PDB file of all heavy atoms in Angstrom:
ATOM      1  N   LEU V   1    -266.953-112.896 106.041  1.00 98.00           N
ATOM      2  CA  LEU V   1    -265.889-113.906 106.181  1.00 98.00           C
ATOM      3  C   LEU V   1    -264.979-113.604 107.374  1.00 98.00           C
ATOM      4  O   LEU V   1    -264.775-114.436 108.252  1.00 98.00           O
ATOM      5  CB  LEU V   1    -265.067-114.002 104.896  1.00 98.00           C
ATOM      6  CG  LEU V   1    -265.615-114.988 103.852  1.00 98.00           C
ATOM      7  CD1 LEU V   1    -266.922-114.490 103.250  1.00 98.00           C
ATOM      8  CD2 LEU V   1    -264.593-115.222 102.738  1.00 98.00           C
ATOM      9  N   ARG V   2    -264.434-112.402 107.379  1.00 98.00           N
ATOM     10  CA  ARG V   2    -263.538-112.055 108.483  1.00 98.00           C
ATOM     11  C   ARG V   2    -264.300-112.006 109.799  1.00 98.00           C
ATOM     12  O   ARG V   2    -263.761-112.428 110.846  1.00 98.00           O
ATOM     13  CB  ARG V   2    -262.908-110.686 108.208  1.00 98.00           C
ATOM     14  CG  ARG V   2    -261.925-110.218 109.294  1.00 98.00           C
ATOM     15  CD  ARG V   2    -261.430-108.800 108.961  1.00 98.00           C
ATOM     16  NE  ARG V   2    -260.589-108.276 110.020  1.00 98.00           N
ATOM     17  CZ  ARG V   2    -261.040-107.694 111.111  1.00 98.00           C
ATOM     18  NH1 ARG V   2    -262.357-107.583 111.296  1.00 98.00           N
ATOM     19  NH2 ARG V   2    -260.200-107.231 112.032  1.00 98.00           N
ATOM     20  N   GLY V   3    -265.547-111.498 109.737  1.00 98.00           N
ATOM     21  CA  GLY V   3    -266.328-111.398 110.954  1.00 98.00           C
ATOM     22  C   GLY V   3    -266.571-112.741 111.620  1.00 98.00           C
ATOM     23  O   GLY V   3    -266.477-112.868 112.836  1.00 98.00           O
ATOM     24  N   VAL V   4    -266.897-113.753 110.815  1.00 98.00           N
ATOM     25  CA  VAL V   4    -267.148-115.075 111.362  1.00 98.00           C
ATOM     26  C   VAL V   4    -265.863-115.685 111.909  1.00 98.00           C
ATOM     27  O   VAL V   4    -265.826-116.246 113.020  1.00 98.00           O
ATOM     28  CB  VAL V   4    -267.764-115.998 110.298  1.00 98.00           C
ATOM     29  CG1 VAL V   4    -267.742-117.451 110.774  1.00 98.00           C
ATOM     30  CG2 VAL V   4    -269.199-115.581 110.003  1.00 98.00           C
ATOM     31  N   VAL V   5    -264.783-115.607 111.138  1.00 98.00           N
ATOM     32  CA  VAL V   5    -263.528-116.253 111.548  1.00 98.00           C
ATOM     33  C   VAL V   5    -263.011-115.651 112.844  1.00 98.00           C
ATOM     34  O   VAL V   5    -262.617-116.382 113.776  1.00 98.00           O
ATOM     35  CB  VAL V   5    -262.488-116.108 110.420  1.00 98.00           C
ATOM     36  CG1 VAL V   5    -261.085-116.447 110.949  1.00 98.00           C
ATOM     37  CG2 VAL V   5    -262.855-117.012 109.253  1.00 98.00           C
ATOM     38  N   LEU V   6    -263.009-114.321 112.967  1.00 97.00           N
ATOM     39  CA  LEU V   6    -262.483-113.722 114.184  1.00 97.00           C
ATOM     40  C   LEU V   6    -263.412-113.913 115.380  1.00 97.00           C
ATOM     41  O   LEU V   6    -262.944-114.047 116.515  1.00 97.00           O
ATOM     42  CB  LEU V   6    -262.214-112.227 113.960  1.00 97.00           C
ATOM     43  CG  LEU V   6    -261.138-111.882 112.913  1.00 97.00           C
ATOM     44  CD1 LEU V   6    -260.799-110.413 112.966  1.00 97.00           C
ATOM     45  CD2 LEU V   6    -259.874-112.714 113.136  1.00 97.00           C
ATOM     46  N   ALA V   7    -264.712-113.970 115.124  1.00 97.00           N
ATOM     47  CA  ALA V   7    -265.651-114.178 116.232  1.00 97.00           C
ATOM     48  C   ALA V   7    -265.617-115.604 116.725  1.00 97.00           C
ATOM     49  O   ALA V   7    -265.955-115.876 117.897  1.00 97.00           O
ATOM     50  CB  ALA V   7    -267.075-113.819 115.791  1.00 97.00           C
ATOM     51  N   ALA V   8    -265.175-116.538 115.888  1.00 96.00           N
ATOM     52  CA  ALA V   8    -265.162-117.948 116.277  1.00 96.00           C
ATOM     53  C   ALA V   8    -264.151-118.210 117.371  1.00 96.00           C
ATOM     54  O   ALA V   8    -264.348-119.102 118.205  1.00 96.00           O
ATOM     55  CB  ALA V   8    -264.858-118.817 115.060  1.00 96.00           C
ATOM     56  N   GLY V   9    -263.032-117.486 117.353  1.00 87.00           N
ATOM     57  CA  GLY V   9    -262.031-117.641 118.379  1.00 87.00           C
ATOM     58  C   GLY V   9    -261.209-118.920 118.293  1.00 87.00           C
ATOM     59  O   GLY V   9    -260.533-119.307 119.254  1.00 87.00           O
ATOM     60  N   ASN V  10    -261.253-119.621 117.164  1.00 87.00           N
ATOM     61  CA  ASN V  10    -260.469-120.842 116.985  1.00 87.00           C
ATOM     62  C   ASN V  10    -259.028-120.521 116.690  1.00 87.00           C
ATOM     63  O   ASN V  10    -258.721-119.535 116.016  1.00 87.00           O
ATOM     64  CB  ASN V  10    -261.062-121.698 115.852  1.00 87.00           C
ATOM     65  CG  ASN V  10    -262.450-122.181 116.156  1.00 87.00           C
ATOM     66  OD1 ASN V  10    -263.066-121.760 117.137  1.00 87.00           O
ATOM     67  ND2 ASN V  10    -262.959-123.096 115.333  1.00 87.00           N
ATOM     68  N   ASP V  11    -258.119-121.397 117.133  1.00 87.00           N
ATOM     69  CA  ASP V  11    -256.724-121.201 116.822  1.00 87.00           C
ATOM     70  C   ASP V  11    -256.442-121.371 115.337  1.00 87.00           C
ATOM     71  O   ASP V  11    -255.625-120.657 114.756  1.00 87.00           O
ATOM     72  CB  ASP V  11    -255.856-122.198 117.616  1.00 87.00           C
ATOM     73  CG  ASP V  11    -255.846-121.881 119.099  1.00 87.00           C
ATOM     74  OD1 ASP V  11    -256.109-120.697 119.454  1.00 87.00           O
ATOM     75  OD2 ASP V  11    -255.607-122.772 119.915  1.00 87.00           O
ATOM     76  N   ARG V  12    -257.095-122.340 114.724  1.00 93.00           N
ATOM     77  CA  ARG V  12    -256.884-122.587 113.296  1.00 93.00           C
ATOM     78  C   ARG V  12    -258.239-122.852 112.638  1.00 93.00           C
ATOM     79  O   ARG V  12    -258.599-123.986 112.305  1.00 93.00           O
ATOM     80  CB  ARG V  12    -255.932-123.756 113.058  1.00 93.00           C
ATOM     81  CG  ARG V  12    -255.506-123.906 111.590  1.00 93.00           C
ATOM     82  CD  ARG V  12    -254.213-124.709 111.474  1.00 93.00           C
ATOM     83  NE  ARG V  12    -253.893-125.023 110.089  1.00 93.00           N
ATOM     84  CZ  ARG V  12    -253.423-124.145 109.209  1.00 93.00           C
ATOM     85  NH1 ARG V  12    -253.265-122.888 109.571  1.00 93.00           N
ATOM     86  NH2 ARG V  12    -253.124-124.520 107.975  1.00 93.00           N
ATOM     87  N   PRO V  13    -259.021-121.795 112.442  1.00 97.00           N
ATOM     88  CA  PRO V  13    -260.371-121.972 111.868  1.00 97.00           C
ATOM     89  C   PRO V  13    -260.285-122.457 110.422  1.00 97.00           C
ATOM     90  O   PRO V  13    -259.346-122.114 109.675  1.00 97.00           O
ATOM     91  CB  PRO V  13    -260.976-120.591 111.969  1.00 97.00           C
ATOM     92  CG  PRO V  13    -259.802-119.668 111.971  1.00 97.00           C
ATOM     93  CD  PRO V  13    -258.721-120.392 112.694  1.00 97.00           C
ATOM     94  N   HIS V  14    -261.273-123.213 110.027  1.00 98.00           N
ATOM     95  CA  HIS V  14    -261.327-123.763 108.681  1.00 98.00           C
ATOM     96  C   HIS V  14    -262.472-123.111 107.921  1.00 98.00           C
ATOM     97  O   HIS V  14    -263.607-123.052 108.402  1.00 98.00           O
ATOM     98  CB  HIS V  14    -261.528-125.281 108.723  1.00 98.00           C
ATOM     99  CG  HIS V  14    -261.595-125.936 107.394  1.00 98.00           C
ATOM    100  ND1 HIS V  14    -262.531-126.896 107.092  1.00 98.00           N
ATOM    101  CD2 HIS V  14    -260.844-125.780 106.281  1.00 98.00           C
ATOM    102  CE1 HIS V  14    -262.354-127.321 105.828  1.00 98.00           C
ATOM    103  NE2 HIS V  14    -261.347-126.656 105.330  1.00 98.00           N
ATOM    104  N   VAL V  15    -262.184-122.597 106.719  1.00 98.00           N
ATOM    105  CA  VAL V  15    -263.185-121.977 105.841  1.00 98.00           C
ATOM    106  C   VAL V  15    -263.216-122.755 104.533  1.00 98.00           C
ATOM    107  O   VAL V  15    -262.196-123.196 104.031  1.00 98.00           O
ATOM    108  CB  VAL V  15    -262.805-120.483 105.604  1.00 98.00           C
ATOM    109  CG1 VAL V  15    -263.780-119.842 104.582  1.00 98.00           C
ATOM    110  CG2 VAL V  15    -262.785-119.703 106.898  1.00 98.00           C
ATOM    111  N   ILE V  16    -264.400-122.870 103.966  1.00 98.00           N
ATOM    112  CA  ILE V  16    -264.564-123.539 102.673  1.00 98.00           C
ATOM    113  C   ILE V  16    -265.218-122.586 101.703  1.00 98.00           C
ATOM    114  O   ILE V  16    -266.213-121.937 102.030  1.00 98.00           O
ATOM    115  CB  ILE V  16    -265.423-124.807 102.823  1.00 98.00           C
ATOM    116  CG1 ILE V  16    -264.756-125.818 103.783  1.00 98.00           C
ATOM    117  CG2 ILE V  16    -265.623-125.480 101.469  1.00 98.00           C
ATOM    118  CD1 ILE V  16    -265.642-127.039 104.061  1.00 98.00           C
ATOM    119  N   THR V  17    -264.650-122.486 100.519  1.00 98.00           N
ATOM    120  CA  THR V  17    -265.281-121.732  99.443  1.00 98.00           C
ATOM    121  C   THR V  17    -265.097-122.543  98.172  1.00 98.00           C
ATOM    122  O   THR V  17    -264.743-123.730  98.221  1.00 98.00           O
ATOM    123  CB  THR V  17    -264.728-120.306  99.330  1.00 98.00           C
ATOM    124  OG1 THR V  17    -265.491-119.560  98.376  1.00 98.00           O
ATOM    125  CG2 THR V  17    -263.262-120.318  98.944  1.00 98.00           C
ATOM    126  N   GLN V  18    -265.325-121.940  97.011  1.00 98.00           N
ATOM    127  CA  GLN V  18    -265.145-122.678  95.765  1.00 98.00           C
ATOM    128  C   GLN V  18    -264.348-121.831  94.778  1.00 98.00           C
ATOM    129  O   GLN V  18    -264.275-120.604  94.895  1.00 98.00           O
ATOM    130  CB  GLN V  18    -266.494-123.127  95.188  1.00 98.00           C
ATOM    131  CG  GLN V  18    -267.557-122.080  95.163  1.00 98.00           C
ATOM    132  CD  GLN V  18    -267.809-121.506  93.766  1.00 98.00           C
ATOM    133  OE1 GLN V  18    -267.439-122.092  92.784  1.00 98.00           O
ATOM    134  NE2 GLN V  18    -268.423-120.329  93.706  1.00 98.00           N
ATOM    135  N   VAL V  19    -263.777-122.500  93.795  1.00 98.00           N
ATOM    136  CA  VAL V  19    -262.752-121.854  92.971  1.00 98.00           C
ATOM    137  C   VAL V  19    -263.283-120.772  92.061  1.00 98.00           C
ATOM    138  O   VAL V  19    -262.512-119.911  91.616  1.00 98.00           O
ATOM    139  CB  VAL V  19    -261.997-122.906  92.103  1.00 98.00           C
ATOM    140  CG1 VAL V  19    -261.161-123.836  92.982  1.00 98.00           C
ATOM    141  CG2 VAL V  19    -262.979-123.707  91.263  1.00 98.00           C
ATOM    142  N   THR V  20    -264.570-120.726  91.785  1.00 97.00           N
ATOM    143  CA  THR V  20    -265.088-119.710  90.876  1.00 97.00           C
ATOM    144  C   THR V  20    -265.794-118.574  91.614  1.00 97.00           C
ATOM    145  O   THR V  20    -266.578-117.815  91.043  1.00 97.00           O
ATOM    146  CB  THR V  20    -266.072-120.318  89.840  1.00 97.00           C
ATOM    147  OG1 THR V  20    -267.170-120.939  90.535  1.00 97.00           O
ATOM    148  CG2 THR V  20    -265.392-121.369  88.991  1.00 97.00           C
ATOM    149  N   GLU V  21    -265.489-118.399  92.888  1.00 97.00           N
ATOM    150  CA  GLU V  21    -266.043-117.289  93.658  1.00 97.00           C
ATOM    151  C   GLU V  21    -265.557-115.941  93.134  1.00 97.00           C
ATOM    152  O   GLU V  21    -264.506-115.863  92.458  1.00 97.00           O
ATOM    153  CB  GLU V  21    -265.652-117.409  95.134  1.00 97.00           C
ATOM    154  CG  GLU V  21    -266.525-118.318  95.950  1.00 97.00           C
ATOM    155  CD  GLU V  21    -267.943-117.816  96.115  1.00 97.00           C
ATOM    156  OE1 GLU V  21    -268.136-116.608  96.316  1.00 97.00           O
ATOM    157  OE2 GLU V  21    -268.871-118.629  96.009  1.00 97.00           O
ATOM    158  N   HIS V  22    -266.246-114.882  93.508  1.00 96.00           N
ATOM    159  CA  HIS V  22    -265.813-113.524  93.203  1.00 96.00           C
ATOM    160  C   HIS V  22    -264.506-113.239  93.953  1.00 96.00           C
ATOM    161  O   HIS V  22    -264.299-113.726  95.057  1.00 96.00           O
ATOM    162  CB  HIS V  22    -266.883-112.557  93.627  1.00 96.00           C
ATOM    163  CG  HIS V  22    -266.676-111.156  93.136  1.00 96.00           C
ATOM    164  ND1 HIS V  22    -265.852-110.244  93.794  1.00 96.00           N
ATOM    165  CD2 HIS V  22    -267.146-110.497  92.050  1.00 96.00           C
ATOM    166  CE1 HIS V  22    -265.836-109.113  93.126  1.00 96.00           C
ATOM    167  NE2 HIS V  22    -266.625-109.225  92.074  1.00 96.00           N
ATOM    168  N   PRO V  23    -263.623-112.415  93.389  1.00 96.00           N
ATOM    169  CA  PRO V  23    -262.378-112.064  94.089  1.00 96.00           C
ATOM    170  C   PRO V  23    -262.587-111.495  95.469  1.00 96.00           C
ATOM    171  O   PRO V  23    -261.710-111.593  96.338  1.00 96.00           O
ATOM    172  CB  PRO V  23    -261.722-111.041  93.150  1.00 96.00           C
ATOM    173  CG  PRO V  23    -262.226-111.398  91.787  1.00 96.00           C
ATOM    174  CD  PRO V  23    -263.645-111.877  92.002  1.00 96.00           C
ATOM    175  N   ALA V  24    -263.740-110.836  95.738  1.00 97.00           N
ATOM    176  CA  ALA V  24    -263.983-110.294  97.063  1.00 97.00           C
ATOM    177  C   ALA V  24    -263.969-111.384  98.112  1.00 97.00           C
ATOM    178  O   ALA V  24    -263.572-111.153  99.262  1.00 97.00           O
ATOM    179  CB  ALA V  24    -265.321-109.558  97.099  1.00 97.00           C
TER     180      ALA V  24
END
């Protein structure tokens, strides 16, 4: 997650997950 977001280089990157994901 962090690797993709920081490599993307966007000012305001958007991530999608779902409410029952693992806390990690």
Side-chain angles (χ1 to χ4, degrees):
L1 272 69
R2 180 184 175 276
V4 168
V5 166
L6 295 190
N10 295 10
D11 290 337
R12 189 160 173 74
H14 180 224
V15 175
I16 300 175
T17 187
Q18 47 104 19
V19 292
T20 59
E21 276 294 319
H22 190 277

